[in-house]
Amino acid sequence: MLITLEGLDGSGKTTCRAALESAFPDVTFTREPTDSWYGDAVRQSINTDDADPLAELFLYTADHAAHISETIEPALDRGETIVSDRYSDSRYAYQGATLADRFEDALAYVREIHQPWTRPPDKTIYLDIDPETAAARSGATNKFETAQALEPVRDNYERLIDAEPDRFVRIDATQPEANLKETVVETVAELPDR
Ligand code: TYD
């Protein structure tokens, strides 16, 4: 099965991923942006403050396409359980926000361009945190990491959860780090068919 880890910058995703890696040595771990040249292009864009948001959407989406064909599908074909640190919902939430003034419903547009070919996650762990705490924790190292930028991203995650409540498991990411790690590990341990 394919499990994804989502949340705002500063929600503790990286810490939770590390906890999962030590708890589940048999699971395949991956991430978006990926560790490929497609991912390098994405990272270059993240670090360019005036990058065109539509061009950026397609860079992320290209990285996702390669991730699916080169990593996700082969691992699923081998019967592995995969955890991806960020995945398609990051695009729906983040680019749904950065493109809000270009489309009537940017989130719907971004979903639409994925729909014919993406492989949806079976379960998504959403690390829930308010934009102010998230921005303070993330240290504002890139253009997304301000409370103002994260506010609409969080609204978009809420929209995604409302649309598919059964796919998401919401976890309070403001709890102390040790509890958070434990909760995330327990959540994955309890998933049926893992
Ligand atoms: P990530 O590497 O997860 O950041 P960190 O490890 O610092 O938390 O993601 C980098 C940034 O890219 C983050 O601000 C979220 C953003 N992002 C998008 O806007 N769209 C996407 O599709 C993805 C995967 C990430």
Side-chain angles (χ1 to χ4, degrees):
M1 78 185 297
L2 172 61
I3 303 164
T4 61
L5 210 50
E6 293 283 353
L8 300 182
D9 298 78
S11 58
K13 254 178 341 80
T14 308
T15 313
C16 291
R17 178 194 161 165
L20 289 171
E21 277 187 285
S22 45
F24 304 104
D26 54 327
V27 166
T28 301
F29 287 85
T30 180
R31 57 166 297 154
E32 289 186 11
T34 65
D35 297 321
S36 67
W37 68 265
Y38 305 101
D40 290 342
V42 169
R43 276 183 289 275
Q44 201 171 330
S45 187
I46 294 172
N47 293 319
T48 304
D49 286 345
D50 60 353
D52 177 74
L54 189 56
E56 196 166 59
L57 163 69
F58 290 112
L59 288 174
Y60 280 114
T61 307
D63 187 39
H64 182 62
H67 192 208
I68 288 185
S69 65
E70 292 171 9
T71 307
I72 303 287
E73 276 171 352
L76 289 172
D77 288 346
R78 290 191 299 268
E80 293 169 17
T81 292
I82 311 169
V83 172
S84 185
D85 176 358
R86 294 200 184 280
Y87 194 72
S88 43
D89 292 309
S90 283
R91 229 117 41 246
Y92 307 156
Y94 280 81
Q95 277 59 55
T98 60
L99 291 168
D101 57 356
R102 302 275 284 265
F103 297 92
E104 204 171 282
D105 186 342
L107 186 154
Y109 171 69
V110 178
R111 282 202 84 147
E112 209 177 289
I113 60 166
H114 282 69
Q115 193 274 330
W117 52 271
T118 193
R119 188 336 183 150
D122 299 300
K123 271 288 169 201
T124 299
I125 295 175
Y126 176 61
L127 301 179
D128 189 15
I129 191 167
D130 57 282
E132 289 72 24
T133 314
R137 281 199 197 165
S138 64
T141 54
N142 75 42
K143 60 191 170 189
F144 297 119
E145 296 175 346
T146 65
Q148 199 190 4
L150 293 175
E151 194 92 45
V153 178
R154 192 199 205 193
D155 293 344
N156 284 341
Y157 273 122
E158 290 300 334
R159 236 182 101 182
L160 295 167
I161 296 167
D162 282 347
E164 285 179 273
D166 295 341
R167 173 161 67 87
F168 285 91
V169 181
R170 183 197 296 271
I171 293 177
D172 174 10
T174 63
Q175 60 185 305
E177 191 176 291
N179 298 12
L180 176 62
K181 288 197 279 189
E182 206 179 292
T183 311
V184 170
V185 168
E186 271 170 21
T187 303
V188 171
E190 284 165 11
L191 289 179
D193 311 323
R194 184 183 57 80

